[in-house]
Amino acid sequence: MCDYLLAKGMTLVGVDNLLTGSRQNIAHLASNPAFEFVEQDVTEPVDVGPIDYVLHMASPASPKDYLEYPIETLEVGSTGTRQMLEVAQRYGAKFLLTSTSECYGDPLVHPQTESYWGNVNPVGPRSCYDESKRFAEAMTMAYHRSRGVKTSIARIFNTYGPRMKLNDGRVVPAFVDQALRGEPITIFGDGSQTRSFCYVSDLIDGLVRLLVSGEAYPTNIGNPSEMTISQFADAIVALTGSKGGVVYHALPEDDPKQRKPDISKARRLLGWEPKVGLDEGLRVTVEYFRGLPPTGAPVRTATT
Ligand code: UDP
């Protein structure tokens, strides 16, 4: 997102406490005068001076990460969202919340339209993420309705691409890492659960279109091309030539059985739809991961 906006001539301030992120991902921007980085938790008051847009994207996003940091995840969705909305209100800036398809929980409506209210377990292990984002949406709508803040809400579906963490636990880096090391691919459950994977450049295009739109209600941004996790494992094997096979592990509690965005609204309102197919997106992603040090090795950062 930073690369995209800087290329458009914008000036940015990035705020991140790097709880799950990596400074390495912005190392190439360190000498760019149009980019400033503040290492800070957005649950603390932030003042970055007058700005035109607030993109509130802060949160752990991998199930492995938010299960490790459940309270931080709830805090960033609640207090963090409020702090960012305060910044937007103070400067009359447009606010974008990156919410999630997890708002639909284990959905009983398929594909998921924005009008579906979801099937979320409010006390299960994933609730720290799901309810945090649902609260964030409610807080955003409250600032919009009662304080007139210009806001938009994107519900992001599984996104992938370069600069993900190799060991963040999500299915794309996990399968690519295992395949590249010739280890068995770990399918959770029987692999019949579905996901729909969106390449990062498509996501960014959709988010920016939504940011400059006048739409306040949630809008799905994702790729409707749906597949089972077994099919996804096959795609990774075909791309990497892995001979490691697959191994089956228990399905995590409350793991959604199916997920596919209905993107009619984004098509109609934003003129947006994904352009990058899975083959092309995965090829670039695998190339990126091939260049990384193996799991467990320290990742070099700008400061070390
Ligand atoms: N998954 C898997 N093996 C892994 C990691 C994930 O089979 O090593 C499955 C997981 O159970 C889920 C899907 O892949 O059904 C997507 O998981 P991910 O953690 O990427 O994101 P989610 O969509 O669950 O938020």
Side-chain angles (χ1 to χ4, degrees), residues 40-72:
Q40 201 206 296
D41 187 339
V42 297
T43 62
E44 303 294 332
V46 178
D47 195 356
V48 292
I51 46 168
D52 300 312
Y53 299 99
V54 176
L55 286 82
H56 178 39
M57 309 177 84
S59 179
S62 160
K64 182 177 161 217
D65 286 337
Y66 58 70
L67 294 178
E68 189 177 347
Y69 299 110
I71 295 169
E72 290 83 351

Side-chain angles (χ1 to χ4, degrees), residues 61-64 66 101-102 126 129 158 169-175 178 186-189 191 193-195 197 229 250-252 255-256 259:
S62 160
K64 182 177 161 217
Y66 58 70
S101 54
E102 282 282 328
R126 297 173 88 99
Y129 186 63
N158 297 66
R170 278 179 286 186
V171 71
V172 176
F175 283 11
Q178 290 155 353
T186 54
I187 294 181
F188 297 166
Q193 72 272 33
T194 68
R195 293 294 186 274
F197 297 100
I229 292 304
L251 190 68
D255 196 287
R259 182 181 290 157

Side-chain angles (χ1 to χ4, degrees), residues 112-177:
Q112 291 78 56
T113 49
E114 291 88 351
S115 56
Y116 177 48
W117 291 351
N119 177 37
V120 171
N121 176 352
V123 292
R126 297 173 88 99
S127 64
C128 59
Y129 186 63
D130 301 8
E131 297 293 14
S132 154
K133 290 290 190 179
R134 287 164 68 101
F135 181 92
E137 289 194 2
M139 182 68 92
T140 300
M141 291 308 298
Y143 268 72
H144 177 71
R145 290 198 181 97
S146 73
R147 301 203 182 169
V149 177
K150 285 176 275 162
T151 59
S152 291
I153 299 172
R155 289 195 180 139
I156 297 175
F157 287 64
N158 297 66
T159 304
Y160 71 99
R163 299 188 188 151
M164 293 181 92
K165 264 190 314 187
L166 193 58
N167 59 351
D168 92 348
R170 278 179 286 186
V171 71
V172 176
F175 283 11
V176 172
D177 181 35

